[in-house]
Amino acid sequence: MSKNDFDISEFENRQARVRVEMEKTGIDLLLVIAPAHINYLIGTPSKGYQEFQVLFFPLKPDKLTILTRLPDVPHLEAESLADEVIGWGGREPEDPIEVMKRIMTEKN
């Protein structure tokens, strides 16, 4: 499934329902790592079953950022509703958890 399989309003409704539940339980930022759940929220056929990726899903509607391995960036930019796609890895070994922590620090 990609962002093109449903109207944008379907994804907006899904995101709104998740945010209602986040507010009920006091969650300010949901770190979504399950590929099926990322797909549900931003409509992307995920390859995250093999490599680490995380969707930063804030309580208040804002930019949706996803961290994925560097070779998957163009695919997620084209096929998802993520506003920002950040890649980890590349020529030099990189710990994706360290990149995730850096993103969280930068975004408060």
Side-chain angles (χ1 to χ4, degrees):
M1 174 174 67
S2 81
K3 67 179 183 182
N4 301 312
D5 292 333
F6 295 100
D7 290 334
I8 296 298
S9 62
E10 172 63 26
F11 290 104
E12 290 170 344
N13 288 336
R14 292 174 182 185
Q15 293 173 11
R17 289 193 307 265
V18 170
R19 285 189 170 106
V20 165
E21 296 304 316
M22 288 171 66
E23 187 150 29
K24 284 181 187 176
T25 56
I27 297 172
D28 293 326
L29 177 67
L30 189 62
L31 300 176
V32 186
I33 60 172
H37 298 162
I38 293 171
N39 187 333
Y40 177 82
L41 289 169
I42 64 170
T44 180
S46 175
K47 297 180 181 183
Y49 288 102
Q50 299 164 349
E51 300 290 341
F52 179 78
Q53 69 178 18
V54 59
L55 172 66
F56 298 86
F57 191 80
L59 175 61
K60 303 295 178 200
D62 198 358
K63 287 173 94 174
L64 293 176
T65 300
I66 189 166
L67 173 64
T68 191
R69 65 187 196 107
L70 191 59
D72 293 332
V73 168
H75 177 73
L76 274 103
E77 287 175 335
E79 296 295 326
S80 80
L81 295 174
D83 300 299
E84 181 179 30
V85 181
I86 300 172
W88 62 268
R91 291 180 183 235
E92 299 298 323
E94 188 172 33
D95 181 355
I97 301 302
E98 290 301 318
V99 178
M100 181 183 77
K101 288 194 302 190
R102 186 179 71 234
I103 293 168
M104 291 178 70
T105 300
E106 290 170 1
K107 294 182 179 288
N108 285 328

